[in-house]
């Protein structure tokens, strides 16, 4: 289940901590989200197609979303804990703090032709990804592109601060990408 952008924006004006009942989904158009010192805590749900537990903060299936301002988008502890997912849409991140829970390596995720450009913000992956060897350079992967979509999806980093992750020398999947 998805909540529309306009309904979400009216919620944003009411509270400093927003916990939507369902995933905030963008399917078309050009949208801007100024976090404005608010925190968005993503809901957790079970995907009935594969019985996985998921938590997505912002799911961009189409169109373009620009995120700016101080504030947070937090995905809860789940098998797939994604703060921002460019799933066919485009995302431009200029500010904000992005966090996820569990051992998911998908803090910022791109798939199905989705594109992410990062100009600023803070990126804090909660814990090491499953199977990450101790002592590796990037034990807390923050950026991930779906393997089958590496030719059509992208994440480009121009700035930002990354907790225990070096986007200039990714040593997780897609070594040195």
């Amino acid at each position: 289940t998805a909540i529309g952008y306009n309904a979400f924006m009216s919620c944003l004006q009411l509270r400093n901590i927003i916990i939507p009942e369902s995933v905030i989904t963008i399917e078309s158009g050009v949208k801007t989200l100024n976090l404005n010192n608010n925190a968005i805590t993503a809901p957790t749900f079970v995907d009935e197609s594969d019985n996985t537990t998921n938590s997505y903060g912002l799911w961009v299936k189409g169109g373009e979303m620009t995120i700016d301002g101080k504030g947070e988008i937090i995905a809860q502890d789940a098998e797939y804990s994604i703060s921002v997912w460019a799933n066919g849409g485009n995302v431009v991140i200029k500010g904000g703090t992005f966090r996820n829970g569990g051992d998911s390596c998908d803090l910022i995720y791109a798939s199905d032709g989705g594109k992410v450009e990062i100009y600023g913000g803070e990126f804090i992956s909660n814990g090491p990804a499953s199977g990450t060897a101790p002592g590796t350079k990037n034990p807390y992967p923050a950026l991930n592109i779906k393997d089958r979509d590496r030719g059509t999806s992208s994440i480009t980093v121009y700035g930002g601060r990354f907790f225990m992750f070096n986007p200039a020398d990714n040593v997780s999947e897609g070594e040195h990408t």
Side-chain angles (χ1 to χ4, degrees), residues 25-89:
T25 304
I26 308 305
E27 296 194 30
S28 64
V30 177
K31 314 277 193 235
T32 299
L33 171 62
N34 184 324
L35 293 170
N36 199 25
N37 291 314
N38 292 293
I40 300 167
T41 300
T44 300
F45 64 96
V46 174
D47 184 336
E48 294 177 10
S49 70
D50 61 5
N51 209 32
T52 57
T53 304
N54 303 279
S55 181
Y56 309 153
L58 187 61
W59 192 3
V60 183
K61 293 179 165 184
E64 182 175 310
M65 170 59 77
T66 298
I67 304 167
D68 201 357
K70 291 182 180 180
E72 295 183 278
I73 298 178
I74 306 160
Q76 297 185 59
D77 189 356
E79 289 175 76
Y80 295 98
S81 178
I82 302 171
S83 187
V84 176
W85 184 3
N87 181 215

Side-chain angles (χ1 to χ4, degrees), residues 89-104:
N90 298 323
V91 177
V92 176
I93 299 174
K94 295 181 176 180
T97 299
F98 304 85
R99 301 175 189 269
N100 69 348
D103 62 3
S104 176

Side-chain angles (χ1 to χ4, degrees), residues 93-161:
I93 299 174
K94 295 181 176 180
T97 299
F98 304 85
R99 301 175 189 269
N100 69 348
D103 62 3
S104 176
C105 59
D106 303 327
L107 178 64
I108 306 297
Y109 192 56
S111 68
D112 295 319
K115 299 191 182 329
V116 178
E117 293 180 5
I118 299 172
Y119 294 91
E122 274 191 331
F123 303 86
I124 304 165
S125 191
N126 185 53
S130 298
T132 302
T136 62
K137 285 185 186 176
N138 293 323
Y140 297 81
L143 310 177
N144 194 5
I145 298 172
K146 187 169 187 85
D147 291 345
R148 74 165 191 240
D149 296 333
R150 287 180 198 252
T152 60
S153 299
S154 64
I155 299 175
T156 307
V157 178
Y158 298 98
R161 294 176 32 169

